[in-house]
């Protein structure tokens, strides 16, 4: 590669590596579409035969992963570590998605008038997978169902103090209380 060409690809969030992975990703997609297994070769590892399930992207690390099935075991493999993919004539293994157990979080949301109520409902439903289950003149109760309550934990801070997490098995109410007390310890003494 010439020096000017090398400079184009420098510091571009690994996009150069992504270009090299395109052929592998296309072959994986083709095997998935045709319902076939493929032989996968990786750096310094023995080749294995797998069934493709999905391609996941981790945007924080700027990496792509192949989710594959090998004899009923689910694997997650980094795409940039795959050196070659060859589709076989073997039919893909059947993969049944087990429904994840959803955990419930219940919020009590206070409001003072109908406009505030409508606005808070809009904000919540756009931000969280929730539904209103009860409503009165000055509050409504909404239910959030999620497989991982800690995944939505940072977003719940946005709705303080008008949205209160009610006690439940999820432990988020206690977690927010603990985090708030820890923050107060750090800021209670003057600097």
């Amino acid at each position: 590669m010439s020096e000017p060409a090398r400079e184009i690809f420098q510091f571009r969030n690994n996009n150069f590596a992504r270009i090299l992975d395109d052929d592998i990703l296309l072959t994986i997609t083709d095997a998935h579409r045709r319902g076939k297994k493929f032989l996968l070769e990786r750096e310094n590892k023995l080749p294995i035969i797998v069934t493709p399930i999905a391609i996941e992207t981790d945007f924080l690390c700027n990496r792509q992963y192949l989710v594959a099935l090998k004899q009923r075991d689910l694997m997650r493999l980094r795409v940039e570590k795959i050196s070659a993919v060859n589709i076989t004539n073997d039919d893909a293994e059947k993969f049944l998605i087990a429904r994840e157990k959803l955990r419930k979080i219940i919020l009590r949301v206070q409001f003072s008038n109908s406009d505030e109520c409508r606005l808070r409902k809009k904000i919540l439903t756009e931000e969280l997978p929730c539904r209103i289950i009860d409503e009165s003149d000055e509050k409504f109760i909404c239910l959030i169902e999620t497989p991982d309550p800690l995944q939505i934990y940072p977003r719940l801070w946005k709705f303080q103090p008008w949205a209160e997490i009610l006690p439940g098995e999820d432990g988020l109410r206690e977690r927010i209380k603990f985090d708030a007390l820890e923050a107060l310890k750090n800021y209670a003494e003057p600097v």
Side-chain angles (χ1 to χ4, degrees):
M1 184 181 293
S2 68
E3 196 58 37
R6 189 180 312 276
E7 288 176 15
I8 292 171
F9 294 109
Q10 203 170 21
F11 307 113
R12 297 280 188 217
N13 298 323
N14 297 333
N15 285 338
F16 182 57
R18 296 291 167 109
I19 292 167
L20 300 176
D21 294 337
D22 281 351
D23 189 42
I24 290 169
L25 290 171
L26 286 171
T27 307
I28 292 170
T29 305
D30 188 38
H32 186 22
R33 184 182 53 78
R34 291 174 38 196
K36 298 291 182 185
K37 292 182 180 180
F38 59 82
L39 180 70
L40 180 131
E41 296 176 29
R42 297 175 289 166
E43 299 171 4
N44 304 321
K45 304 256 182 177
L46 292 173
I48 56 174
I49 295 178
V50 297
T51 298
I53 303 299
I55 300 289
E56 291 180 350
T57 301
D58 180 350
F59 293 103
L60 293 175
C61 296
N62 198 21
R63 289 189 179 135
Q64 288 183 306
Y65 295 89
L66 164 66
V67 179
L69 199 57
K70 179 186 175 199
Q71 298 172 351
R72 291 184 288 193
D73 289 331
L74 225 65
M75 309 171 72
R76 240 175 131 229
L77 307 163
R78 284 174 49 180
V79 171
E80 75 261 14
K81 299 288 185 185
I82 299 171
S83 56
V85 174
N86 297 306
I87 298 175
T88 66
N89 288 327
D90 299 334
D91 288 334
E93 288 183 59
K94 299 294 181 213
F95 176 67
L96 300 173
I97 299 172
R99 184 165 165 80
E100 290 183 280
K101 182 180 176 187
L102 297 177
R103 295 173 61 192
K104 296 177 181 177
I105 300 166
I106 300 173
L107 296 178
R108 178 179 22 219
V109 180
Q110 305 287 339
F111 57 89
S112 56
N113 57 47
S114 60
D115 289 338
E116 195 173 81
C117 176
R118 189 177 63 253
L119 180 62
R120 289 182 178 175
K121 281 181 185 177
K122 182 178 187 296
I123 291 169
L124 278 169
T125 54
E126 285 177 355
E127 184 74 26
L128 298 169
C130 68
R131 59 187 164 89
I132 310 302
I133 57 173
D134 190 24
E135 189 169 349
S136 69
D137 292 339
E138 54 201 36
K139 68 178 190 280
F140 63 86
I141 307 292
C142 64
L143 173 70
I144 303 166
E145 293 181 306
T146 178
D148 183 8
L150 288 178
Q151 193 175 45
I152 63 167
Y153 172 71
R155 290 186 271 169
L156 291 171
W157 278 98
K158 293 181 185 179
F159 313 121
Q160 303 301 321
W162 50 266
E164 175 190 1
I165 301 171
L166 297 179
E169 296 174 12
D170 53 72
L172 282 183
R173 178 183 174 95
E174 291 74 24
R175 175 76 183 258
I176 284 183
K177 182 179 177 180
F178 176 77
D179 287 352
L181 289 172
E182 286 297 309
L184 285 173
K185 284 181 193 175
N186 292 337
Y187 295 101
E189 295 181 23
V191 180

